Structure formats: C-alpha cells, structure tokens
Amino acid sequence: VAAGASAGADVTVLPELATTGAAYRSAEEAAARAEPITGPAIERLRELSARLRLVLVAGFCETSGLDRPYDSAVVLDHGRLRGHHRKTHLWGREKIIFAAGRVAPPVVPTSVGRLGLVICYELEIPEVTRGLARVGAQIIVAPANWPDLPKPAGERPIEIAKAQSAAAANRVYVVVADCCGREREQSWTGGSVICDPGGYPLAGPRLGQPTLLTARVVPAEADDKSLGTYNDAFADLRPELYLANAGDPGFDRDPRMAAGGDAR
Amino acid sequence: VAAGASAGADVTVLPELATTGAAYRSAEEAAARAEPITGPAIERLRELSARLRLVLVAGFCETSGLDRPYDSAVVLDHGRLRGHHRKTHLWGREKIIFAAGRVAPPVVPTSVGRLGLVICYELEIPEVTRGLARVGAQIIVAPANWPDLPKPAGERPIEIAKAQSAAAANRVYVVVADCCGREREQSWTGGSVICDPGGYPLAGPRLGQPTLLTARVVPAEADDKSLGTYNDAFADLRPELYLANAGDPGFDRDPRMAAGGDAR
C-alpha cells in the first residue's frame, strides 16, 4: 500500500483475504483467523488509508456468528469505512469453509468515483457486472485469489478474458488484484490487471510475479456508454428479446424446449 | 465449404453477409442485392449442404419488404433449412442500412447438435449468449464481420476475449467465422476462432489471414455445466441478487441511486 501511495495512487486494491491468506484447511481454521469489521486488521488498514490519503480496497476473513466466516472485502476512504461486501458466489472449497453473503455486490461512492465491489468469482458472473454498471459503477474493483489452473500454452488465463469482457461489455474500468506464488498446496495465478472501458489492459497482467500495477484512470469516462457514432452499450440492449429468467436456477433447462417438436 | 468438407467437417460456418459482401454504401444498394430465403443464393447453399452432407451456417442479405433489408443467417442441414435468424442488434452503419430483426436469436436443432445462432455483435451481448445456453445451445455459431479497429500492440482484438468469455461463462462451444481483408473502405479483422467450453481457443485466431479453421467438438460436453467439484456455471447463479431490470434500456441510470444519501 505504501508503494502504491508513493507511486501516486489514489486507489489501491489488495487481493481477496489479504489480511490472513486464503488456503484454509477447514472452516474452523478460517473462523479462528476471522475478525469483525471493527477488529484490528481493518482498523490498521483504515489508519493506513487515512495516513496515506487514499482509497484502499482489501479482502479479509470476517467473523460471522455462524459456523463458517465470511469471505469479505472493505472500501476504506481516507480513514473512513465506505463499503463492505460479503462474497455471494463462492468458488471451490470456499463452499465448505465460508458462509455465502446474502447481499448483492455494492456500488460504493468514494472520493475518487463510484466503485463496484466484487470478490474474485463474482467478477465472472455477467449478471453481477452488468448490474453494477447499470447502477453507476465506474470502476469495478475485484480483490481475487485466482487458482493457477491448467491452460493451453501461450494463452492467458481465461479469467483475464472474463475481466476484459466485463469491462468492455459495460464500458467500465476493471481492476483485479490477484495473489501470486504458492500458499500451502495452492498456487495462485498472479493475474492482476487494470482494464480500460474498452476492455484492453492499461497495466498487467504480469503473470505469476509479485507486482505493483499502476494506471491512470478517468472514472467519468465510464459514464459514457457510447460505442462510436451509432452504438451504446446500454441503449443497444433489447431486454424484450432476452430470456427473462435466464439467471434463474429454478428454470427448467430442457433441450426439448429449444428443439420444439423436432428434438433429437 | 468444399475445403471444410474435405477436411471432414460436419459443420461449416461462413461469415456474416457471406453471399454478397457487407460494406454497403446505402440501404438502397443493400436492398438491391437482397434475396428472399427462397432465392438462388440460399438455394445454392442448401444444395451444397446436401451434396457435401454437412450443416452449413451462413449470413446473407435478406429481402424484407421494408425500405431496408435484413442482415440474416441460416442453418442448412443436409439440404434442409433448419434455422433462420435476422440480426436484432445492429452495429455501426448497419443501423441505417438494415432493418433490425424482432425475434430473439434461436437455438437450432441439427444433425450434429443444438446450435445457438447469433450474428456478429449479438455474440457480445452477455444476455443473448446466456439465454441461448439456458435453453440448451451446445455450440454458439456466429457469422461475423468484425471491423478492424485500433488496439494496443500485442493485444488480440477485444472481440476475441468476448467470444472466449461467452464460451466460458456458459460452458458452450463458440464458433466465430469472421471476414478478413479489405472491402471498399472497410478492413475486417479476420478473427475467426473456435473456443471450447472452457473459453480457450481450439483453433485460431489467425488474425487477418484467409483461413480454414477446423476443430473437433463434442456437443454433449456443453451439456455439463459443472466447474470442478464444487461449482456449476448455472447452479451457482443467484438471480435474487441480480438487478432484475439490468437489461432494460428504460431503467433510470441514476448515480444517486447507487450512492444513497451520500452521492458526490
């Protein structure tokens, strides 16, 4: 954070579960490391955001009062708590270690603009990023821990394409702070990236390396959804043509429906 | 198409407006080239699909009875018309040259599996691809004409990331047949690509070159939406957390809504 401030950052984003690490063996172990939002970890980050005069976004392991803690994140703005989110879409073993949040990812007004706050996998859900952009998010910030998964030689991790696509589809900036290196048996991707509203990287990814990425962003540019002379990322949408319950897990996915009377 | 058949293709996809070219100067010029679906261009393609025993997807310029023709596509399966679509989301000057279709992109049952049929820009709308996958599309086929736009050195066109992301978010194959080279004043990207349900390219892109891409796809693999042991691309969705009217152009995008009483 101090290096970011020295580089002139107004906003600094740290990874998911940045205060504790993420590769827990059990819910009990995670719960033992959890703190409330009023605890010493967030207090220290809050003081840091005041002293360095910046907006600081960080993931932490939050006490829940349940048998599993939350995978949470905060937005701290010059010493003030401005945003708080509990991860709603859990990935992999997180499902047995954390409790899922029950409130949608928020748009957080800050001294530098409106931040959409998601945690890792939530960035990969198009409905989530669309919703944040629709209520005015200018920069989607994503503390993340991307597991380093197999991929074809020469290809960037697919998560990068998803981050780029979320930016471009919604004409917003996307900032991912990912872990790198190894934690217990887990290797992290180190896929931190800053994307512009066209979806192209302004900085990163420098895969697998500890890195401080910096880029100049103009939040108000994300308020302009136009795509050239004739198009607009939002005005072009035709919801009357979209499956109303496309995101509904209760929706009956029956191939015969698509195939009409001609199903194979 | 013959080269594809010789290479063993069961499905061959051609670009958008493949029978006529796409860089029209006016609606009148396009209308003069348009044919009905019963016209000689589609008849010739239909015969080709019968003779070569394959599924053929191609874009064409369709008579509309209006002052502007449609930017359409068909799915022809061993000599039989199985699918037809009129582009619903027009890009750039298409808005003054073509009439927009009024029916959502379809899922088309064929002898090789269920094809989701979109045309170019429609592939970039997350609501469209989600909807197609939700009603059972296994392979999303996208005849396209991607204008060759400026991009940072070393980066693939953002359209590629969007194609990859559509595949990965929905666990479907995505096949894009793009134009390349120059047509009048217009340069095309040549971004044809075949993506697997993980979002990674199975073939292409070979930017800017005329190319025949082939890949082996297993349509039934797209019926499995699981992501490892704990996740599922559809079951993980939590529509109760998504902005119900996120795709509604009539939705009032008011930053104060997001910022609550604390708007800047």
Side-chain angles (χ1 to χ4, degrees):
Chain A
V1 177
S6 295
D10 296 311
V11 181
T12 301
V13 185
L14 300 179
E16 184 179 10
L17 296 165
T19 62
T20 55
Y24 294 115
R25 299 206 203 282
S26 67
E28 292 70 26
E29 187 187 46
R33 302 266 195 99
E35 290 185 15
I37 202 168
T38 51
I42 301 303
E43 177 55 22
R44 189 172 167 211
L45 293 175
R46 193 192 63 73
E47 285 169 5
L48 206 55
S49 78
R51 180 156 48 85
L52 299 176
R53 297 172 181 280
L54 45 68
V55 174
L56 177 52
V57 181
F60 75 110
C61 184
E62 186 187 8
T63 309
S64 72
L66 309 169
D67 56 353
R68 287 170 290 159
Y70 293 118
D71 181 344
S72 296
V74 286
V75 176
L76 303 158
D77 186 353
H78 294 74
R80 187 172 165 197
L81 176 70
R82 295 300 293 266
H84 174 217
H85 176 54
R86 293 164 172 167
K87 190 175 185 179
T88 55
H89 297 67
L90 300 173
W91 179 262
R93 291 187 73 252
E94 291 167 8
K95 292 198 178 186
I96 55 175
I97 291 176
F98 297 100
R102 289 180 297 175
V103 177
V107 176
V108 181
T110 73
S111 56
V112 298
R114 296 183 301 274
L115 307 190
L117 176 60
V118 296
I119 302 174
C120 200
Y121 182 37
E122 293 174 324
L123 180 66
E124 303 180 34
I125 314 285
E127 288 86 347
V128 167
T129 50
R130 179 71 96 203
L132 288 170
R134 288 311 293 245
V135 294
Q138 296 164 318
I139 308 171
I140 293 180
V141 290
N145 289 322
W146 283 342
D148 191 17
L149 299 170
K151 58 181 194 299
E155 291 293 324
R156 283 178 177 162
I158 193 65
E159 291 87 351
I160 300 289
K162 289 176 171 180
Q164 293 184 264
S165 190
N170 296 296
R171 301 287 309 168
V172 293
Y173 294 92
V174 168
V175 178
V176 178
D178 187 23
C179 272
C180 68
R182 200 172 174 82
E183 184 189 354
R184 292 181 165 169
E185 297 78 25
Q186 182 65 58
S187 290
W188 305 113
T189 298
S192 298
V193 67
I194 304 173
C195 298
D196 71 18
Y200 290 109
L202 292 169
R206 297 178 194 146
L207 296 173
Q209 306 170 46
T211 185
L212 173 70
L213 300 180
T214 60
R216 184 169 185 80
V217 307
V218 182
E221 287 195 2
D223 296 335
D224 177 8
K225 303 304 180 188
S226 66
L227 300 160
T229 307
Y230 297 95
N231 292 86
D232 181 286
F234 288 173
D236 283 353
L237 298 177
R238 297 184 62 184
E240 75 278 13
L241 299 180
Y242 309 146
L243 194 63
N245 51 3
D248 183 354
F251 178 69
D252 181 19
R253 183 162 87 253
D254 182 346
R256 286 170 302 181
M257 208 180 132
D262 218 311
R264 300 173 57 239
Chain B
V1 177
S6 296
D10 297 309
V11 182
T12 300
V13 185
L14 299 179
E16 184 180 10
L17 296 164
T19 62
T20 55
Y24 294 115
R25 298 205 203 285
S26 67
E28 292 69 28
E29 187 187 46
R33 302 264 196 100
E35 290 184 16
I37 202 166
T38 51
I42 300 304
E43 177 56 21
R44 189 172 167 211
L45 293 175
R46 192 191 64 72
E47 285 169 6
L48 206 55
S49 77
R51 180 157 49 85
L52 299 176
R53 299 173 183 278
L54 45 67
V55 174
L56 177 52
V57 181
F60 75 110
C61 184
E62 185 186 10
T63 309
S64 72
L66 309 169
D67 56 354
R68 288 169 291 160
Y70 294 118
D71 182 344
S72 296
V74 286
V75 176
L76 303 158
D77 186 354
H78 294 72
R80 186 172 166 197
L81 176 69
R82 296 299 294 265
H84 173 217
H85 176 54
R86 294 164 172 168
K87 189 175 185 180
T88 55
H89 297 68
L90 299 172
W91 180 260
R93 290 187 72 252
E94 289 167 8
K95 292 198 177 187
I96 56 175
I97 291 176
F98 296 100
R102 289 180 295 176
V103 177
V107 175
V108 182
T110 73
S111 57
V112 298
R114 298 182 300 274
L115 307 189
L117 176 60
V118 297
I119 302 174
C120 202
Y121 182 36
E122 294 175 323
L123 180 66
E124 304 181 33
I125 314 284
E127 288 86 349
V128 168
T129 50
R130 179 72 94 202
L132 287 170
R134 288 311 293 245
V135 294
Q138 296 165 318
I139 307 171
I140 293 180
V141 291
N145 290 321
W146 285 341
D148 191 18
L149 299 170
K151 59 182 192 301
E155 291 293 324
R156 283 178 177 162
I158 193 66
E159 291 86 352
I160 300 289
K162 289 175 171 181
Q164 294 183 263
S165 189
N170 297 296
R171 301 288 307 170
V172 293
Y173 294 92
V174 168
V175 178
V176 178
D178 188 24
C179 272
C180 67
R182 200 172 174 82
E183 184 188 356
R184 292 180 165 169
E185 297 78 24
Q186 182 65 58
S187 290
W188 304 115
T189 299
S192 298
V193 67
I194 303 173
C195 299
D196 71 19
Y200 290 109
L202 290 169
R206 298 177 194 147
L207 297 172
Q209 306 171 45
T211 186
L212 172 70
L213 300 180
T214 60
R216 184 171 185 78
V217 307
V218 182
E221 288 197 0
D223 295 336
D224 176 9
K225 303 303 180 188
S226 66
L227 301 160
T229 308
Y230 297 95
N231 292 87
D232 181 287
F234 288 173
D236 282 353
L237 298 177
R238 298 184 61 184
E240 75 279 13
L241 300 180
Y242 309 147
L243 194 63
N245 50 4
D248 183 355
F251 177 69
D252 181 19
R253 183 163 86 253
D254 182 345
R256 285 170 302 182
M257 208 180 130
D262 218 303
R264 299 174 59 238

